């Protein structure tokens, strides 16, 4: 059977997706005749086999060329190995640019706040001090703004460097063992901008014809992605807005209130979202909302803007990832949709048009036809106007509230509480130091640690793979870290509650139970992969072992875009395997496929593992962890949680959701 026929249909999603609110909204949209990403995915079938295999080249206009037994080379002479390598390099470079572009805005904001050009407080002085010490610029005679300004310039230089020199973020924070590996492979990046520039250059017509050399540039881009686009951006955000704060929140569609001005923030950039959070708290704007007939103003999080604001400020209710945005819009209860950058599908405009919801775009990089544009300009010359822009945006939401059509409001009652805001700092404090956490790993009470993240992809049933991997891993005593789009599924299904530990193995329960911790620790948005890598790095230094020897891993079961490719690559460069249910488009070249799945074991100490069955994928992680533990001489782990314990977890989750559902229904009546 062709792989083209194996992708799930919308009917499969409606039958099997784990969240009852998703099923209810898909049925509601069906009845209303409004299409969703799942309808559009079905309409694309059968998918292009050349695209799936990565053997279609469109880099020049002599083609497009596709590789077949009849035509094994493109017009220029490029074979399948070169074409697949060039395509995957361009994907990787796009991921570097994507996270780097949104990170640059935060770096510029940190610089402006430090210099006094922006009316922004620096809310993370402890992060400023820690980073200044790591960069070797700490001096007790310097003020926090002075050190923050120096940090911003280092981050911007690492992002934009053109004159070759040391990548200061990477060299300050990477372990000596990894630095030696990367230097030996000659993959240390000049800077993120340069590596993207170079990637596009060497994949143009008649430039680099050596697929292996192309893959070396893939690795350079992977380092630029991890240490500038992700780590550099995360440092800037933590310095400017402070570290995450642990809190308990409600999530899923049942948490939407009908008698409030409801504003959704959607995308990835924190600068204007932070100002919107502040504006929504202002007494005069709340008074205007009450004057319009609302009780107050509420903010809802879509994709990473929601995660970021939630972890930093609270006051944001997380609802869904990028793939589910149109389902949330179809509740008819959102008055304003604020779209900044990335993972904002153009399809949201069609759904918004069916309701009263206004859409505002806030970045020159991400406009939508038909949306109102209230934004920073292309040069970011109006960063100092963030508060004024935010005030205009919130007032648009208040105006739209008066246009809401009560007859079109449909809110499924599914609702779940979740604990959020975990960081390396508060995790180690909870355990009493990294040594105590490591002791649990050595003893076998914790089998390993996995960063379970990633976007969603309709090539597998929506959110099912993430949930099944999580269920299997916690049953085998694996602690999960999560952030970004995958985190929504785990928040909604009860994994981020202490009650969710009922489905965990006995060892994991014995560790997190007394501390009243959930089995899954929510760390924020997709950029907060940097938190997971920092925790892994801390365990490595505490254990005195390179990361490649530890039972730690990265998994993005449902990944779908260029940033997801970069994230997986970033962790493999650290020496950690990455595990997925969806393969990248490299099957058309056995050499490139072997590079990812086998060859990097020798050079990096880690490989890419793909298995379309999420349970089998999780069990492969468990098996690999047991091999790591045996090689280290650590204690073996106990058996997995029994079916009874798994059932207990589901009962606890369903009982919680049922109780909240009745509460919502009562309030609605």
């Amino acid at each position: 059977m062709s792989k083209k026929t194996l992708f799930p249909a919308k009917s499969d999603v409606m039958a099997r997706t784990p969240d009852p609110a998703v099923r209810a909204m898909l049925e509601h949209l069906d009845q209303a005749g409004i299409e969703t990403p799942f309808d559009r995915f079905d309409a694309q079938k059968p998918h292009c086999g050349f695209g799936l295999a990565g053997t279609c080249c469109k880099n020049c206009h002599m083609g497009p060329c596709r590789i077949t037994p009849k035509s094994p080379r493109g017009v220029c002479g490029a074979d399948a190995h070169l074409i697949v390598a060039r395509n995957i390099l361009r994907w990787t470079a796009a991921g570097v640019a994507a996270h780097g572009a949104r990170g640059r805005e935060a770096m510029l904001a940190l610089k402006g706040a430090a210099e006094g050009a922006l009316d922004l407080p620096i809310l993370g002085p402890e992060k400023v001090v820690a980073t200044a010490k790591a960069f070797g610029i700490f001096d007790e005679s310097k003020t926090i703004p002075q050190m923050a300004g120096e940090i911003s310039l280092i981050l911007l230089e690492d992002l934009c460097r053109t004159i070759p020199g040391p990548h200061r973020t990477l060299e300050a924070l990477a372990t000596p063992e990894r630095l030696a590996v990367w230097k030996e492979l000659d993959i240390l990046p000049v800077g993120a901008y340069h590596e993207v520039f170079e990637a596009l250059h060497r994949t143009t017509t008649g430039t680099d014809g050596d697929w292996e050399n192309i893959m070396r540039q893939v690795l350079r881009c992977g380092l630029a992605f991890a240490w500038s686009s992700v780590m550099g951006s995360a440092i800037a955000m933590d310095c400017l807005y402070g570290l995450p704060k642990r809190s308990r929140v409600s999530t899923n569609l049942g948490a939407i209130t009908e008698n409030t001005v409801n504003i959704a923030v959607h995308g990835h950039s924190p600068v204007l979202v932070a100002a919107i959070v502040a504006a929504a708290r202002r007494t005069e704007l709340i008074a205007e909302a009450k004057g319009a007939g609302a009780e107050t103003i509420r903010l809802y999080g879509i994709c990473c803007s929601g995660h970021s604001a939630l972890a930093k400020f609270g006051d944001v209710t997380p609802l869904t990832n990028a793939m589910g945005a149109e389902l949330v819009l179809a509740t008819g209860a959102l008055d304003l949709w604020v779209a900044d950058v990335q993972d904002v599908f153009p399809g949201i405009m069609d759904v918004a048009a069916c309701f009263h919801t206004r859409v505002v775009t806030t970045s020159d990089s991400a406009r939508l036809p038909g949306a109102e544009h209230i934004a920073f300009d292309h040069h970011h010359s109006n960063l100092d106007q963030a508060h004024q822009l935010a005030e205009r945006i919130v007032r648009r939401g208040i105006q739209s509230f008066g246009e809401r059509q009560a007859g079109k409001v449909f809110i499924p009652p599914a609702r779940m509480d979740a604990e959020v805001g975990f960081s390396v700092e508060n995790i180690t404090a909870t355990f009493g130091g990294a040594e105590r956490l490591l002791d649990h790993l050595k003893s076998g009470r914790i089998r390993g640690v996995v960063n379970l993240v990633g976007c969603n992809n309709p090539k597998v049933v929506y959110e099912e793979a993430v949930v099944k991997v999580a269920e299997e891993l916690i049953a085998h005593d694996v602690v999960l870290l999560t952030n970004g789009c995958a985190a929504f599924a785990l928040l909604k299904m009860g994994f981020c509650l202490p009650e969710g530990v009922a489905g965990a193995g006995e060892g994991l329960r014995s560790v997190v139970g007394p501390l009243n911790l959930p089995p899954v620790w929510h760390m924020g948005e997709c950029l907060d992969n940097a938190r997971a890598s920092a925790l892994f790095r801390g365990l490595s230094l505490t254990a005195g072992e390179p990361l490649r020897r530890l039972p730690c891993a990265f998994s993005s079961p449902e990944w779908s875009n260029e940033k997801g490719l970069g994230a997986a690559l970033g962790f493999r460069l650290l020496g950690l395997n990455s595990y997925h249910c969806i393969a990248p488009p490299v099957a058309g070249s056995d050499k490139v496929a072997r590079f990812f799945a086998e060859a990097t074991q020798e050079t990096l100490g880690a490989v890419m593992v793909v298995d379309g069955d999420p349970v089998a994928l999780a069990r492969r992680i468990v098996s690999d962890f047991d091999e790591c533990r045996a090689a280290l001489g650590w204690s073996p782990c106990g058996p997995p949680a029994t079916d009874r314990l798994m059932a207990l977890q589901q009962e606890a989750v369903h009982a919680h959701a049922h109780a909240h559902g009745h509460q919502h229904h009562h309030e609605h009546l």
Side-chain angles (χ1 to χ4, degrees), residues 173 194 288 504 581 629:
L173 299 174
H194 173 79
E288 288 183 26
C581 289
R629 299 182 63 85

Side-chain angles (χ1 to χ4, degrees), residues 12-346:
D12 297 312
V13 178
M14 295 179 75
R16 291 164 47 192
T17 190
D19 180 5
V22 170
R23 293 193 292 274
M25 290 309 303
L26 285 173
E27 184 176 347
H28 178 64
L29 282 155
D30 245 5
Q31 292 171 352
I34 301 172
E35 74 170 19
T36 68
F38 307 102
D39 297 297
R40 297 190 291 270
F41 182 75
D42 282 351
Q44 288 294 324
K45 297 172 181 175
H47 288 77
C48 171
F50 298 100
L52 291 172
T55 53
C56 176
C57 182
K58 299 177 290 183
N59 290 10
C60 80
H61 203 51
M62 293 188 291
C65 295
R66 56 187 187 179
I67 300 303
T68 67
K70 178 183 175 182
S71 55
R73 292 179 180 271
V75 173
C76 71
D79 61 11
H81 311 302
L82 180 57
I83 289 172
V84 169
R86 290 194 307 202
N87 287 341
I88 210 71
L89 174 56
R90 287 200 166 200
W91 272 36
T92 309
V96 179
H99 268 332
R102 50 76 60 97
R104 174 176 169 268
E105 186 169 282
M107 295 173 197
L108 289 173
L110 178 62
K111 180 177 181 292
E115 295 171 350
L118 302 182
D119 182 20
L120 290 175
I122 295 174
L123 299 176
E126 67 276 29
K127 186 67 176 183
V128 171
V129 170
T131 305
K133 289 179 178 178
F135 285 167
I137 60 172
F138 177 77
D139 189 320
E140 290 186 355
S141 67
K142 295 178 181 176
T143 65
I144 292 295
Q146 284 173 331
M147 288 188 284
E150 291 181 48
I151 289 167
S152 70
L153 292 177
I154 290 171
L155 299 178
L156 286 164
E157 183 186 6
D158 284 346
L159 186 73
C160 309
R161 183 181 298 104
T162 56
I163 299 174
H167 190 291
R168 293 181 65 180
T169 307
L170 184 154
E171 298 205 357
L173 299 174
T175 62
E177 180 266 344
R178 281 292 102 178
L179 282 169
V181 168
W182 301 331
K183 287 177 182 176
E184 177 67 23
L185 293 173
D186 188 25
I187 58 171
L188 289 174
V190 172
Y193 275 31
H194 173 79
E195 301 310 336
V196 172
F197 192 87
E198 178 64 21
L200 295 178
H201 163 230
R202 69 175 60 204
T203 54
T204 55
T205 307
T207 308
D208 198 335
D210 182 345
W211 76 269
E212 290 182 283
N213 203 39
I214 290 285
M215 296 311 294
R216 188 174 295 110
Q217 183 62 21
V218 167
L219 297 181
R220 288 192 193 100
C221 282
L223 286 176
F225 177 91
W227 295 94
S228 274
S229 300
V230 173
M231 182 65 75
S233 301
I235 289 171
M237 288 172 57
D238 280 355
C239 288
L240 191 56
Y241 301 114
L243 295 170
K245 301 172 184 64
R246 285 188 54 188
S247 62
R248 192 176 178 109
V249 300
S250 289
T251 184
N252 215 343
L253 301 188
I256 299 174
T257 52
E258 294 186 45
N259 54 352
T260 52
V261 173
N262 294 328
I263 300 174
V265 290
H266 180 187
H268 287 76
S269 179
V271 180
L272 195 48
V273 169
I276 291 170
V277 171
R281 294 171 174 171
R282 286 173 50 188
T283 54
E284 63 268 33
L285 289 177
I286 293 174
E288 288 183 26
K290 290 179 177 180
E295 288 188 359
T296 189
I297 302 167
R298 288 198 63 196
L299 299 178
Y300 300 87
I302 313 297
C303 200
C304 284
S305 288
H307 280 312
S308 176
L310 171 66
K312 305 286 190 185
F313 313 117
D315 291 356
V316 177
T317 300
L319 294 182
T320 193
N321 41 47
M323 186 67 71
E326 292 166 56
L327 309 187
V328 174
L329 269 165
T331 63
L334 277 299
D335 303 305
L336 188 73
W337 197 273
V338 184
D340 50 73
V341 296
Q342 299 171 26
D343 290 319
V344 180
F345 297 174

Side-chain angles (χ1 to χ4, degrees), residues 201-503:
H201 163 230
R202 69 175 60 204
T203 54
T204 55
T205 307
T207 308
D208 198 335
D210 182 345
W211 76 269
E212 290 182 283
N213 203 39
I214 290 285
M215 296 311 294
R216 188 174 295 110
Q217 183 62 21
V218 167
L219 297 181
R220 288 192 193 100
C221 282
L223 286 176
F225 177 91
W227 295 94
S228 274
S229 300
V230 173
M231 182 65 75
S233 301
I235 289 171
M237 288 172 57
D238 280 355
C239 288
L240 191 56
Y241 301 114
L243 295 170
K245 301 172 184 64
R246 285 188 54 188
S247 62
R248 192 176 178 109
V249 300
S250 289
T251 184
N252 215 343
L253 301 188
I256 299 174
T257 52
E258 294 186 45
N259 54 352
T260 52
V261 173
N262 294 328
I263 300 174
V265 290
H266 180 187
H268 287 76
S269 179
V271 180
L272 195 48
V273 169
I276 291 170
V277 171
R281 294 171 174 171
R282 286 173 50 188
T283 54
E284 63 268 33
L285 289 177
I286 293 174
E288 288 183 26
K290 290 179 177 180
E295 288 188 359
T296 189
I297 302 167
R298 288 198 63 196
L299 299 178
Y300 300 87
I302 313 297
C303 200
C304 284
S305 288
H307 280 312
S308 176
L310 171 66
K312 305 286 190 185
F313 313 117
D315 291 356
V316 177
T317 300
L319 294 182
T320 193
N321 41 47
M323 186 67 71
E326 292 166 56
L327 309 187
V328 174
L329 269 165
T331 63
L334 277 299
D335 303 305
L336 188 73
W337 197 273
V338 184
D340 50 73
V341 296
Q342 299 171 26
D343 290 319
V344 180
F345 297 174
I348 70 167
M349 297 304 298
D350 297 327
V351 182
C354 297
F355 301 91
H356 78 295
T357 310
R358 298 187 185 188
V359 178
V360 169
T361 54
T362 65
S363 171
D364 188 57
S365 300
R367 294 191 181 224
L368 292 167
E372 186 173 356
H373 195 61
I374 304 175
F376 296 135
D377 62 37
H378 177 68
H379 298 282
H380 284 86
S381 65
N382 59 338
L383 276 175
D384 60 338
Q385 298 173 26
H387 295 299
Q388 296 95 311
L389 297 174
E391 182 178 320
R392 286 177 58 195
I393 287 168
V394 171
R395 283 202 165 97
R396 289 290 187 274
I398 295 170
Q399 292 166 6
S400 183
F401 173 80
E403 301 165 6
R404 191 188 297 175
Q405 299 165 288
K408 288 188 174 183
V409 174
F410 176 79
I411 303 175
R415 176 176 152 194
M416 180 61 63
D417 283 356
E419 294 197 3
V420 300
F422 285 85
S423 67
V424 176
E425 292 81 2
N426 61 39
I427 289 169
T428 53
T430 298
F431 278 91
E435 296 84 0
R436 295 291 299 277
L437 181 56
L438 181 64
D439 286 343
H440 290 307
L441 271 169
K442 288 181 174 179
S443 71
R445 292 185 290 272
I446 295 177
R447 183 179 247 109
V449 185
V450 171
N451 193 34
L452 181 59
V453 299
C455 299
N456 305 97
N457 193 322
K459 289 178 179 176
V460 295
V461 171
Y462 179 55
E463 297 185 328
E464 182 185 59
V466 171
V467 168
K468 286 190 171 184
V469 168
E471 285 176 341
E472 192 70 19
L473 288 178
I474 68 168
H476 285 84
D477 298 313
V478 176
V479 164
L480 300 182
L481 317 174
T482 193
N483 48 273
C485 281
F488 283 101
L490 303 178
L491 290 169
K492 294 185 297 181
M493 300 311 295
F495 290 93
C496 297
L497 278 175
E499 298 92 304
V501 81

Side-chain angles (χ1 to χ4, degrees), residues 594-660:
R594 195 178 305 117
F595 175 89
F596 284 121
E598 299 174 19
T600 53
Q601 182 64 56
E602 181 178 349
T603 55
L604 300 177
V607 295
M608 172 190 71
V609 178
V610 178
D611 192 320
D613 179 345
V615 174
L617 185 76
R619 289 178 179 171
R620 168 66 187 272
I621 295 172
V622 170
S623 174
D624 289 347
F625 279 2
D626 285 347
E627 286 187 19
C628 287
R629 299 182 63 85
L632 287 164
W634 289 2
S635 299
C637 298
T642 64
D643 291 341
R644 183 183 67 81
L645 288 172
M646 294 294 286
L648 282 173
Q649 182 207 22
Q650 292 303 315
E651 287 174 13
V653 168
H654 291 153
H656 186 91
H658 185 67
H660 276 296

